Amino acid sequence: MIRGVIFDKDGTLFDFRRSWSGWALRVLEALSDDPARRADLAASIGFLPETMDFHPDSPAIAGTAPEVAEAMLPHLPGHDAATVIARINQAAAGARMEEAVPLRALLEDLRARGLRIGLATNDTEAPAEAHLAAHGVRDLFDFVAGYDSGHGFKPGPGQLLAFLSATGLRGAEVAMVGDSLHDLEAGRAAGMARVAVLTGIATAADLERHADVVLADIGHLPGWLDRQSV
């Protein structure tokens, strides 16, 4: 019986391409005004400006701000990690998130079922809080953790275990919902059901061996939950 759901944010609650391509452009513009250097920076984080898309191995998909900064720093002589991380987080806080599905209606449906709801993201906590608040859904979450919240980051299970501790649920009573292997690996390590969605960069073929189910998007989650209770 599923009594709780913990979501990834980017690529899960929000469509990854539509939400983060603008962020990537703003980061590149903030860090350099040289076209050649911007091209090198884009390549370092697997961003494809011509198509406003991301390479499947991009650290921007499931990595933390320090991991993204680490990829960029070889192309930024004279910059330090703290400055680059600050630019990344500043752009992230202002990024316009595009909902994968109408979030308020979905989350209210889950709450009406008596489910506890959490968020575990490798983004920084402050932008995550800002994104939820901007879409008017922060009040529907029992728990929010970013990579800097003190619980570690995915694919480690620390954020998910903290959700269990905060809610009193057991791993077997919770579904981890995400768009990347990091999400699914964290869910497995925490003993949770693993629900993959296709609103990120990874394909069904990438995810299906690691998930209990692959859904087109989180809008299909209520139907999956109904099938678990039969």
Side-chain angles (χ1 to χ4, degrees):
M1 186 73 175
I2 299 297
R3 298 175 56 203
V5 178
I6 185 161
F7 291 98
D8 169 57
K9 179 169 69 73
D10 305 315
T12 302
L13 296 179
F14 303 106
D15 182 276
F16 192 90
R17 290 179 176 88
R18 291 187 291 128
S19 299
W20 287 97
S21 56
W23 161 85
L25 285 178
R26 284 191 293 276
V27 169
L28 298 181
E29 291 168 358
L31 290 173
S32 178
D33 57 7
D34 177 68
R37 179 157 293 170
R38 283 185 186 174
D40 289 339
L41 290 170
S44 74
I45 61 168
F47 176 56
L48 310 171
E50 301 83 2
T51 57
M52 297 294 280
D53 205 348
F54 293 83
H55 189 277
D57 294 330
S58 167
I61 296 171
T64 63
E67 289 171 332
V68 175
E70 182 181 1
M72 288 180 155
L73 277 170
H75 306 285
L76 291 169
H79 288 66
D80 59 58
T83 299
V84 177
I85 291 169
R87 294 286 179 87
I88 289 168
N89 287 334
Q90 182 181 27
R96 180 176 176 177
M97 297 288 101
E98 298 288 344
E99 296 181 1
V101 303
L103 288 180
R104 184 88 198 175
L106 172 67
L107 296 170
E108 286 181 340
D109 177 281
L110 299 181
R111 297 297 300 218
R113 296 165 180 261
L115 271 64
R116 307 296 294 274
I117 301 176
L119 177 74
T121 177
N122 279 358
D123 197 359
T124 310
E125 182 178 333
E129 291 276 7
H131 296 157
L132 295 180
H135 288 263
V137 296
R138 176 61 184 88
D139 60 305
L140 299 174
F141 284 80
D142 299 292
F143 175 89
V144 173
Y147 86 86
D148 58 344
S149 299
H151 310 300
F153 50 88
K154 300 172 291 184
Q159 295 171 324
L160 280 59
L161 297 177
F163 174 67
L164 297 180
S165 178
T167 59
L169 298 175
R170 296 179 294 110
E173 298 174 314
V174 175
M176 171 69 217
V177 184
D179 68 298
S180 75
L181 292 180
H182 276 20
D183 300 320
L184 303 179
E185 290 171 12
R188 178 189 56 77
M192 297 179 177
R194 290 158 290 160
V195 179
V197 293
L198 301 177
T199 40
I201 305 299
T203 66
D206 296 327
L207 301 173
E208 59 191 1
R209 291 186 297 108
H210 306 275
D212 296 302
V213 64
V214 179
L215 304 177
D217 57 51
I218 55 175
H220 295 271
L221 190 58
W224 178 78
L225 289 168
D226 289 342
R227 293 192 293 276
Q228 306 318 296
S229 61
V230 173

